[in-house]
């Protein structure tokens, strides 16, 4: 199985997702930059935003890995069941 067969997202969807992320990040950065508050508060919002982005990426990767793990376990269990049925049918 090649990577192209596993990849189910279209190029258009990948472009949309990446560009949406960049636009959202730019909008938040501009909002923080032009906010009429002290530099200390701008720094706090900037660090908080970076931490939120990092946490979101970590959460989505962990959930994807967990899903893939369950899929693999389900495939293994299904293969074992099929093998037992074949052995029983003989």
């Amino acid at each position: 199985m090649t990577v192209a067969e596993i990849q189910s997202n279209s190029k258009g969807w990948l472009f949309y997702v990446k560009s949406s992320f960049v636009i959202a990040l730019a909008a938040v950065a501009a909002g923080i930059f032009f906010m009429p508050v002290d530099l200390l508060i701008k720094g706090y919002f900037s660090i908080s935003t970076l931490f939120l982005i990092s946490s979101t990426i970590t959460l989505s990767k962990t959930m994807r890995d967990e899903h893939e793990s369950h899929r693999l376990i389900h495939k293994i269990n299904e293969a074992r069941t099929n093998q037992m049925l074949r052995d029983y049918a003989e």
Side-chain angles (χ1 to χ4, degrees):
M1 205 178 259
T2 66
V3 175
E5 292 172 348
I6 296 171
Q7 182 72 29
S8 62
N9 297 321
S10 68
K11 290 181 182 181
W13 176 251
L14 291 174
F15 174 76
Y16 170 76
V17 169
K18 290 176 183 178
S19 61
S20 295
F21 178 78
V22 169
I23 291 169
L25 189 60
V28 169
I32 291 172
F33 181 76
F34 292 114
M35 192 183 307
V37 294
D38 294 336
L39 188 59
L40 183 65
I41 295 174
K42 287 182 182 182
Y44 172 77
F45 280 123
S46 299
I47 295 297
S48 297
T49 300
L50 292 175
F51 182 59
L52 178 63
I53 291 168
S54 171
S55 298
T56 302
I57 290 170
T58 303
L59 176 64
S60 66
K61 182 191 177 313
T62 302
M63 290 179 72
R64 183 200 66 214
D65 291 349
E66 188 72 16
H67 174 73
E68 290 296 321
S69 171
H70 286 297
R71 275 184 50 196
L72 180 61
I73 290 169
H74 179 69
K75 263 186 167 176
I76 292 170
N77 287 338
E78 186 177 337
R80 285 182 185 158
T81 302
N82 287 338
Q83 181 65 37
M84 287 172 57
L85 290 173
R86 272 187 250 124
D87 291 346
Y88 183 73
E90 292 177 350

